[in-house]
Amino acid sequence: LQCMKAPQRDGNPDRQGWEKLPNEVLNCDQCSLAKLRRHVVFGAGNRRARWMLVGEAPGAQEDKEGLPFVGRAGQLLNAMLAALGLKREEVYIANVLKCRPPNNRDPRAEEVAQCEPFLVRQIELINPSIIIGLGRHAVHSLLKTDLALGKLRGTKHDYHGIPLIATYHPAYLLRSPQEKRKAWDDLRLAKSIVEAT
Ligand code: URA
């Protein structure tokens, strides 16, 4: 992120960057997932958002619609955002991988290596006040660590000058609802950081 611009509260309205990036991503065929996809899921939301949420990869419904977090995990994510007083349209949501892995298998290292530069550019363009890493794949890619998510959540990390909070993936919370309390604590911590900015 060497070329990252100085932080601006309003996000970065870099129009040229936004003109190029979506087309590059939508036309990408750099890994084998390209042949399997129905839609590229670039990311969606407010390009001037203070909150940026980063997931793992599109699932079946996302691949069908071309939008992030529109399946069951997305419904839980919407509820979590609503509890924070945030509408979907106010935040920006993207994934590490822009194409769906077959049967939702874990992203492969070479896929992450190919695709992550797109996410890095999205983060530069949005320049959010906070990044929420949803689940271990997103957090491991962003923070270049392989510590367990349980060790990474609950504290503020730094992503090239932007505060980053790690929390559980909503799909995991659907399977393990007893962890929702911790995710809520993480999101409240994030909110306190944004409010202090
Ligand atoms: N899970 C993710 O990580 N991202 C999505 O967009 C949907 C489900």
Side-chain angles (χ1 to χ4, degrees):
L1 270 192
Q2 260 136 24
C3 58
M4 198 165 80
K5 315 236 165 47
Q8 283 176 295
R9 256 179 160 230
D10 284 357
N12 186 338
D14 181 340
R15 278 217 215 86
Q16 267 202 337
W18 279 120
E19 267 162 32
K20 279 190 245 153
L21 184 60
N23 280 334
E24 258 180 70
V25 179
L26 295 177
N27 293 314
C28 179
D29 61 359
Q30 291 300 302
C31 84
S32 58
L33 300 181
K35 288 188 205 72
L36 305 172
R37 73 186 174 220
R38 289 173 73 176
H39 287 101
V40 174
V41 179
F42 175 73
N46 184 344
R47 291 176 175 183
R48 291 173 165 268
R50 301 185 78 187
W51 291 71
M52 179 160 181
L53 292 91
V54 178
E56 173 182 330
Q61 194 61 30
E62 290 77 21
D63 178 57
K64 209 165 161 186
E65 295 187 37
L67 291 167
F69 282 102
V70 287
R72 276 190 70 217
Q75 284 168 21
L76 177 57
L77 185 62
N78 290 348
M80 290 160 68
L81 290 171
L84 284 170
L86 290 167
K87 295 198 188 82
R88 267 279 286 236
E89 311 82 71
E90 288 176 70
V91 307
Y92 195 91
I93 307 182
N95 287 304
V96 176
L97 294 191
K98 309 306 189 200
C99 297
R100 182 188 181 206
N103 302 313
N104 303 342
R105 65 153 168 75
D106 288 349
R108 293 189 176 146
E110 64 270 21
E111 292 159 357
V112 173
Q114 282 293 345
C115 210
E116 200 186 19
F118 293 140
L119 176 65
V120 170
R121 285 166 63 193
Q122 276 172 311
I123 296 171
E124 283 179 8
L125 287 166
I126 292 159
N127 193 19
S129 300
I130 196 142
I131 298 170
I132 310 293
L134 298 168
R136 76 186 160 98
H137 292 286
V139 176
H140 287 177
S141 306
L142 288 163
L143 294 181
K144 305 296 171 213
T145 176
D146 56 10
L147 278 177
L149 190 63
K151 295 241 153 65
L152 294 163
R153 62 156 293 277
T155 53
K156 180 170 108 172
H157 300 270
D158 177 87
Y159 178 85
H160 303 272
I162 301 171
L164 184 148
I165 295 293
T167 195
Y168 296 114
H169 193 288
Y172 170 78
L173 295 175
L174 289 171
R175 298 191 299 273
S176 307
Q178 73 281 5
E179 304 284 37
K180 281 185 187 174
R181 176 70 188 266
K182 289 185 206 156
W184 178 238
D185 289 343
D186 296 333
L187 294 177
R188 277 201 326 217
L189 171 62
K191 188 167 179 170
S192 72
I193 294 166
V194 173
E195 283 173 353
T197 327

